[in-house]
Amino acid sequence: MIANPKCGDKVILSNTDGKIAEYCVHFQQSDQAKSVNVQGSEEENSEKNKTDTKKQPASWKFFPDKKNDPNYKQGFRILVTHQKALKNVSWHPKGDYFATVLDDKNSNSAVIMHQLSKQKSVRPFAKMNGIVQQVVFHPSKPILFVATQRYVKVYDLVKQLLVKKLLTNVQWVSSLDVHPAGDNLIIGSYDNRLSWFDLDLSTKPYKTLKHHKKAIRSVAYHKKYPLFASCSDDGTAIVSHGMVYDDLMQNALIVPLKILRGHEITKNIGVTCCKFHPTQPWLFTSGADKTIRLYSN
């Protein structure tokens, strides 16, 4: 579900709804063109529809601006329905593309790529070995990072090639995030480890941190400040300093700063997700105790 929550700059919110309305008109026109362009016998059309349905990895539905539409009033704009349950979503920095990860082992449908402006969904990989945990786009290059159970695979989306395979040295990767500069990344694992990778240095971890006592559920970089965070089933989130230097001869400086507490552990699950504010040094966390908490300064 793609929503416009009506938070922030009113001009940006209005422009967003205007752009989605354009996409809605384009989507309706393409649907009408398909219905008009029906040719051949009924049997041929039915067979063609079956094959088209099989090929489509996801279906799109727009919620138009109607007075009596409760979905539109709540902020919902687009519904993208997949064939299996979703695990996570990752947006491209430019905003037109986003990728979804499905709970589908060893399948070409584990990762689906969507284009918002053309309302198209494609399977970018012929086959994906292993269980895909998360995907993240490179901040500036046409590169996709795919975290499986034991590896992080780096794909060139233009050449459609696997360019690098990172050895995580963990039992089960849980989460992944890429540094805003694009040359470093961190992964969290269910065996309590956080690993920092320098992509220019090695395919093995540059540094591994073991400060959490239980499984790490989520990791995140700050987009502006030299900070990164991790959250765990031990009920804590840890904020660390991670400075990346322009000098390629100088390695990243990693220093743990603070342990944040507040969430209650519920059914052996603690803090499930952590995200930084885009511009402020604030950390948002969500937990199994059904609360979202904000930590500042």
Side-chain angles (χ1 to χ4, degrees):
M1 188 77 74
I2 299 175
N4 187 356
K6 298 292 184 181
C7 297
D9 193 317
K10 292 183 179 180
V11 176
I12 295 176
L13 297 175
S14 177
N15 291 340
T16 300
D17 277 343
K19 184 60 70 173
I20 292 178
E22 292 178 11
Y23 296 158
C24 181
V25 172
H26 176 268
F27 182 74
Q28 291 173 347
Q29 288 176 350
S30 62
D31 268 2
Q32 289 175 0
K34 286 179 183 177
S35 61
V36 170
N37 253 351
V38 177
Q39 296 178 357
S41 64
E42 293 182 359
E43 293 181 359
E44 290 177 353
N45 288 330
S46 61
E47 289 178 3
K48 185 178 180 181
N49 289 333
K50 287 179 181 179
T51 55
D52 287 344
T53 305
K54 290 180 181 178
K55 289 179 182 179
Q56 293 296 325
S59 61
W60 291 66
K61 178 184 178 182
F62 282 80
F63 298 106
D65 185 4
K66 294 181 179 179
K67 294 181 179 179
N68 298 325
D69 191 348
N71 292 306
Y72 192 89
K73 288 182 179 179
Q74 292 177 10
F76 300 123
R77 298 295 181 263
I78 304 172
L79 174 65
V80 184
T81 306
H82 297 73
Q83 296 175 0
K84 291 196 175 183
L86 291 181
K87 295 173 75 173
N88 58 65
V89 181
S90 176
W91 281 94
H92 191 276
K94 292 185 178 180
D96 191 26
Y97 291 90
F98 63 97
T100 52
V101 178
L102 275 63
D103 192 7
D104 199 356
K105 183 180 178 182
N106 297 326
S107 170
N108 66 341
S109 297
V111 179
I112 307 296
M113 199 82 70
H114 310 272
Q115 187 174 3
L116 190 60
S117 59
K118 295 185 178 180
Q119 305 89 49
K120 287 187 178 180
S121 304
V122 297
R123 301 178 180 91
F125 305 112
K127 187 177 181 181
M128 179 60 67
N129 294 324
I131 303 172
V132 179
Q133 295 297 112
Q134 189 173 352
V135 297
V136 177
F137 288 98
H138 190 281
S140 57
K141 298 178 181 179
I143 291 175
L144 184 70
F145 298 89
V146 180
T148 60
Q149 183 177 343
R150 301 291 296 274
Y151 305 99
V152 175
K153 300 175 182 178
V154 185
Y155 290 93
D156 188 319
L157 296 175
V158 175
K159 298 179 181 178
Q160 298 184 348
L161 293 174
L162 175 66
V163 295
K164 196 173 289 187
K165 188 176 182 180
L166 306 180
L167 309 176
T168 62
N169 296 332
V170 299
Q171 295 298 318
W172 198 304
V173 176
S174 63
S175 51
L176 162 75
D177 199 19
V178 180
H179 190 273
D183 294 329
N184 295 266
L185 63 86
I186 50 175
I187 61 128
S189 70
Y190 290 117
D191 49 346
N192 317 348
R193 299 181 183 183
L194 183 146
S195 298
W196 179 297
F197 287 86
D198 187 334
L199 300 178
D200 296 326
L201 188 65
S202 173
T203 57
K204 295 181 180 180
Y206 160 65
K207 201 164 190 177
T208 299
L209 306 178
K210 302 178 183 178
H211 299 297
H212 285 289
K213 297 178 181 178
K214 291 186 179 181
I216 295 177
R217 291 279 176 177
S218 178
V219 294
Y221 278 109
H222 198 289
K223 302 302 180 186
K224 183 179 178 182
Y225 294 94
L227 299 171
F228 67 95
S230 58
C231 61
S232 168
D233 281 341
D234 60 10
T236 66
I238 297 179
V239 178
S240 303
H241 175 85
M243 175 62 76
V244 175
Y245 300 96
D246 294 333
D247 186 1
L248 297 178
M249 300 300 293
Q250 194 169 2
N251 294 329
L253 176 63
I254 301 170
V255 181
L257 295 177
K258 196 168 186 178
I259 300 176
L260 305 175
R261 295 181 172 87
H263 286 280
E264 296 181 3
I265 299 175
T266 306
K267 296 181 180 179
N268 296 322
I269 300 176
V271 189
T272 56
C273 186
C274 59
K275 292 291 182 183
F276 280 105
H277 188 276
T279 57
Q280 300 294 331
W282 301 345
L283 182 69
F284 296 87
T285 60
S286 63
D289 56 357
K290 301 179 183 179
T291 64
I292 297 176
R293 297 177 183 265
L294 167 63
Y295 299 89
S296 62
N297 300 329

